[in-house]
Amino acid sequence: MVDQLPGTPVTPRHAPFGRSAPAARTLVHLSDTHLVGAGLLGGRFDATANLEATLEAIVRTGIRPDAIVITGDLTDLGEPAAYRALREIVEPVAARLDAPVVWVAGNHDERPALRAGLLASDPPAADPTTTEANTTEPAADPEAPVTGVWDLGGLRLIALDSTVPGWHHGDIDPAQREWLRAELSQPAPLGTLLALHHPPLPSHIPLFDILELRHQDELAAIVRGSDVRGILAGHLHYSTSGTFAGVPVSVAAATCYTMNLQRPAVEVNGMDAGQSFHLVHVYDDTITHSVVPVVAAETGDYFSDAWVAEMAALSPEERLEAFSRKR
Ligand SMILES: [Fe+2]
Ligand SMILES: [Fe+2]
């Protein structure tokens, strides 16, 4: 938002606090659940328990998101049992939050099993302002890219499929790029978010570039000048951000295990800690991606209901004096 010029009538955007109106839309973004059909992931990580802990943390936020976006590597091996388990864990939470789930394919997924396990029947109840995705490929082809478009009350969310069957690196093939170009030819009222697994960003970790997204220049040519306001991704198992074609990119870490970046880049490896999810707040003029660590920690109680009520009862000047003034 551009600051009001002196003399311009000022309409309070958000009473009583701050200069910004509340977010127009809110999403939950998590990634890389890597569920397995049985046992521990890699014999080491309890992907199911870690996902459940993440979902419990999401519920604790009290947020009613417009969508829950899971940016790929939904399962580790593409096992039907793993997709069933994933659905059984996620859908009740989504129903409780009244939010649609946007399943994005990752390199560890298998398109036919993902389709059969997650997309085969009706999605959970969505907010009345949302409509479920339109898949872009004939359902008859189980190997077709898993893509979709959601209208989240004027905010368009497009799920891309950056997987390459049989490989771990990423790509958006020419047909999908053309489809994306056509979708973006008409802007959405609140703009567009893209969700895909392989982030169009570099990684400082050696050899990760082998598994990166290919044909990024071609994708950038489509994104540049469009109404795309943000790109959500995963794959790296650590949270990071950057820009691509001038558009902010936000990478959510994993719920299963994360990369221990406290090591020299050549020694980075997975650890059963640091799991998190992102709260995506879509404002009129910006989008924030807040990283929420999934931890059990004692938390202070300074900002009580009584304190908030006390602040709300003050004038803006009194509030500044009460809360901003250094003692
Ligand atoms: Fe992953
Ligand atoms: Fe991945």
Side-chain angles (χ1 to χ4, degrees):
M1 189 188 90
V2 177
D3 285 324
Q4 296 276 0
L5 296 172
T8 306
V10 176
T11 305
R13 298 183 66 199
H14 179 212
F17 303 121
R19 70 190 283 271
S20 296
R25 299 289 175 269
T26 305
L27 310 181
V28 169
H29 174 203
L30 55 151
S31 200
D32 292 78
T33 46
H34 281 262
L35 249 60
V36 288
L40 298 176
L41 172 61
R44 190 181 185 106
F45 304 110
D46 193 337
T48 299
N50 288 346
L51 172 60
E52 287 172 338
T54 302
L55 293 171
E56 287 166 11
I58 289 168
V59 170
R60 278 198 294 275
T61 66
I63 280 175
R64 289 284 178 271
D66 293 284
I68 298 169
V69 185
I70 310 183
T71 45
D73 283 355
L74 307 170
T75 67
D76 193 59
L77 300 168
E79 302 159 288
Y83 287 110
R84 275 198 302 277
L86 180 62
R87 192 167 192 166
E88 286 172 12
I89 293 169
V90 172
E91 283 199 346
V93 176
R96 183 171 164 189
L97 300 181
D98 199 18
V101 181
V102 177
W103 304 106
V104 179
N107 52 293
H108 279 264
D109 291 303
E110 298 294 336
R111 289 171 177 173
L114 189 163
R115 274 203 167 76
L118 298 177
L119 309 180
S121 58
D122 290 338
D127 184 276
T129 59
T130 66
T131 56
E132 179 43 67
N134 309 300
T135 53
T136 58
E137 63 284 342
D141 180 4
E143 291 283 0
V146 180
T147 57
V149 182
W150 280 257
D151 176 1
L152 305 172
L155 174 69
R156 178 168 54 189
L157 177 67
I158 299 180
L160 299 173
D161 188 338
S162 61
T163 70
V164 182
W167 300 84
H168 280 299
H169 67 264
D171 206 348
I172 304 289
D173 66 26
Q176 195 179 154
R177 288 203 300 268
E178 281 316 303
W179 168 77
L180 177 62
R181 190 193 303 277
E183 287 293 326
L184 293 176
S185 64
Q186 297 295 325
L190 299 183
T192 296
L193 290 176
L194 301 181
L196 79 172
H197 181 65
H198 297 79
L201 290 179
S203 171
H204 72 289
I205 301 177
L207 304 183
F208 268 36
D209 54 355
I210 298 172
L211 305 184
E212 74 181 8
L213 183 71
R214 298 190 176 190
H215 293 106
Q216 292 190 24
D217 291 343
E218 289 83 346
L219 181 62
I222 297 168
V223 169
R224 194 173 284 115
S226 72
D227 75 339
V228 174
R229 299 176 62 190
I231 299 173
L232 311 181
H235 187 53
L236 298 178
H237 289 224
Y238 62 89
S239 180
T240 190
S241 60
T243 57
F244 175 74
V247 173
V249 180
S250 174
V251 178
T255 68
C256 61
Y257 67 87
T258 75
M259 289 298 165
N260 187 351
L261 299 187
Q262 300 174 104
R263 293 176 161 204
V266 293
E267 297 174 16
V268 165
N269 221 312
M271 63 175 178
D272 195 4
Q275 289 89 348
S276 62
F277 63 93
H278 290 189
L279 292 177
V280 183
H281 286 101
V282 180
Y283 296 90
D284 292 346
D285 50 1
T286 192
I287 299 174
T288 58
H289 303 263
S290 304
V291 181
V292 186
V294 179
V295 292
E298 267 194 55
T299 308
D301 58 0
Y302 328 113
F303 304 120
S304 63
D305 289 348
W307 183 89
V308 172
E310 194 180 313
M311 285 293 132
L314 301 176
S315 70
E317 293 73 24
E318 291 169 333
R319 199 174 297 136
L320 202 65
E321 184 66 32
F323 191 46
S324 175
R325 172 82 71 187
K326 287 185 176 178
R327 304 296 173 196

